[in-house]
Amino acid sequence: MRMGRNTHQKQSILNALTSLRGQHPTAEMVYERVSQTIPSLSRATVYRVLNGFAEHGDILQLHIPESGDRYDDVISPHYHLLCNVCKRVVDLAAPRLEEIPLPQNDISGCYITGIELMFLGICSECASKQ
Ligand SMILES: [Zn+2]
Ligand SMILES: [Zn+2]
């Protein structure tokens, strides 16, 4: 089967994300990595493809206020910690928590569709320097 240009680009972007596994890179970091192999690829394409993968559930997109979204090619359920010091996102080897009960939808007139959980703290690398 002949791979189209788009398929090839998508695969290269996914490969770049996989090569950064555990680092939870920003789209910019993925762009920098993939442009080492495909210098002609535009920043906009990388952002668009990453968001497309996330929408389809092929990768995780972690929303982090004021420091941009991060991406993770590991989609099995796991927790994340945002380091207060270096602002990196690291995987947290924590046991599964009890499910957090969602508030009743009708209390405030809001409609709740899900929950996003991010632990805050200090990563092991920063902790060892203190
Ligand atoms: Zn840190
Ligand atoms: Zn992760």
Side-chain angles (χ1 to χ4, degrees):
M1 193 186 82
R2 191 177 160 273
M3 275 214 308
R5 183 165 162 266
N6 283 341
T7 313
H8 179 67
Q9 284 185 347
K10 281 186 174 180
Q11 190 58 50
S12 302
I13 291 166
L14 197 58
N15 289 347
L17 179 62
T18 302
S19 75
L20 295 164
R21 180 170 293 174
Q23 298 183 40
H24 305 95
T26 60
E28 184 64 25
M29 288 163 72
V30 176
Y31 167 72
E32 278 167 21
R33 175 61 60 100
V34 78
S35 63
Q36 290 170 5
T37 46
I38 314 181
S40 60
L41 208 57
S42 75
R43 208 177 238 101
T45 301
V46 173
Y47 279 62
R48 182 169 44 76
V49 168
L50 285 174
N51 288 333
F53 278 139
E55 268 169 35
H56 288 110
D58 297 325
I59 64 174
L60 293 183
Q61 184 173 29
L62 312 170
H63 303 101
I64 301 178
E66 291 169 40
S67 81
D69 292 349
R70 314 290 175 92
Y71 297 89
D72 193 348
D73 71 308
V74 178
I75 54 172
S76 55
H78 62 284
Y79 294 120
H80 292 105
L81 176 136
L82 174 64
C83 178
N84 294 331
V85 180
C86 67
K87 301 299 175 194
R88 282 189 310 150
V89 172
V90 298
D91 288 334
L92 203 60
R96 295 298 295 169
L97 298 173
E98 295 286 320
E99 220 167 281
I100 297 170
L102 294 179
Q104 289 294 315
N105 285 329
D106 55 8
I107 288 179
S108 61
C110 297
Y111 192 78
I112 295 157
T113 57
I115 189 165
E116 199 170 352
L117 187 61
M118 174 70 74
F119 290 97
L120 309 175
I122 302 172
C123 76
S124 61
E125 230 171 88
C126 291
S128 69
K129 288 179 200 151
Q130 289 184 345

